[in-house]
């Protein structure tokens, strides 16, 4: 099993190098541009360098090198980062994937809030919804999503 996994990982790493070379040829992308876009995606999602590096299975110093264009992540590392929301197509090519272009990406803070909401009891969800509606109504002058905020 581990030999098969190493073979697949090796194949992925070889092909990410080929894809990067092809992107550089087709789009003028170079390793510095990939690093800039990786940093942009990290910041868009609200991750710090240490947390983002850990999500990729790398050290902070390695992430800094990626962002500076000294080196680049492997296919396995990009796959891990895709799991937390980066647009890998964008990082490599500079073009947003159709899925990412249509999505309204959540920040890390919003993702945690949504996760907490999903793990709440129904009566707590209702309370959270009332608080959110009232807070938004106060910001927007009384109406949100076509509903008048409840008073009290």
């Amino acid at each position: 099993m581990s030999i098969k996994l190493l073979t697949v990982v090796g194949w992925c790493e070889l092909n990410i190098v080929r894809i990067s070379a092809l992107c550089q040829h087709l789009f003028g992308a170079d390793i510095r541009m990939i690093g800039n876009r990786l940093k942009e995606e990290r910041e868009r999602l609200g991750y710090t360098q240490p947390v983002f590096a850990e999500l990729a299975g790398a050290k902070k110093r390695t992430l800094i090198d990626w962002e500076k264009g000294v080196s680049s992540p492997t296919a396995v590392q990009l796959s891990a980062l895709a799991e937390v929301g980066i647009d890998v197509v964008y990082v490599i090519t500079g073009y947003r994937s159709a899925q990412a272009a249509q999505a309204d990406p959540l920040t890390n803070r919003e993702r945690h809030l949504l996760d907490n909401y999903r793990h709440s009891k129904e009566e707590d969800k209702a309370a959270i919804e009332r608080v959110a509606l009232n807070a938004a109504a106060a910001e927007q002058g009384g109406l949100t999503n076509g509903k008048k905020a409840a008073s009290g």
Side-chain angles (χ1 to χ4, degrees):
M1 177 70 174
S2 64
I3 293 174
K4 287 182 183 178
L5 180 59
L6 288 175
T7 302
V8 169
V9 169
W11 181 86
C12 288
E13 288 178 349
L14 174 64
N15 282 300
I16 198 71
V17 169
R18 289 180 180 160
I19 290 169
S20 293
L22 177 62
C23 290
Q24 183 173 358
H25 175 72
L26 293 175
F27 306 110
D30 66 18
I31 198 167
R32 287 179 309 278
M33 294 170 74
I34 290 171
N36 290 340
R37 290 190 292 265
L38 187 64
K39 179 179 180 180
E40 182 182 329
E41 284 293 278
R42 175 180 62 77
E43 291 174 344
R44 176 182 67 84
L45 294 170
Y47 287 108
T48 62
Q49 286 180 325
V51 171
F52 201 64
E54 185 177 326
L55 291 168
K59 302 278 187 206
K60 179 183 172 188
R61 179 73 242 165
T62 301
L63 176 64
I64 291 169
D65 287 346
W66 295 344
E67 290 183 353
K68 287 183 173 182
V70 173
S71 61
S72 61
T74 66
V76 172
Q77 290 163 325
L78 286 171
S79 177
L81 293 173
E83 292 293 319
V84 297
I86 75 156
D87 183 353
V88 175
V89 172
Y90 174 69
V91 169
I92 294 172
T93 68
Y95 295 98
R96 291 275 176 205
S97 68
Q99 181 181 4
Q102 294 173 358
D104 182 15
L106 298 176
T107 65
N108 199 26
R109 183 178 180 185
E110 292 166 332
R111 192 175 298 107
H112 287 294
L113 181 63
L114 181 58
D115 185 58
N116 289 336
Y117 173 83
R118 287 178 176 164
H119 289 93
S120 298
K121 294 183 282 182
E122 284 304 314
E123 60 266 17
D124 294 332
K125 287 180 181 178
I128 292 167
E129 291 164 2
R130 284 191 304 276
V131 168
L133 182 62
N134 286 326
E139 273 301 304
Q140 298 175 8
L143 288 176
T144 57
N145 292 337
K147 297 180 183 179
K148 184 75 173 165
S151 59

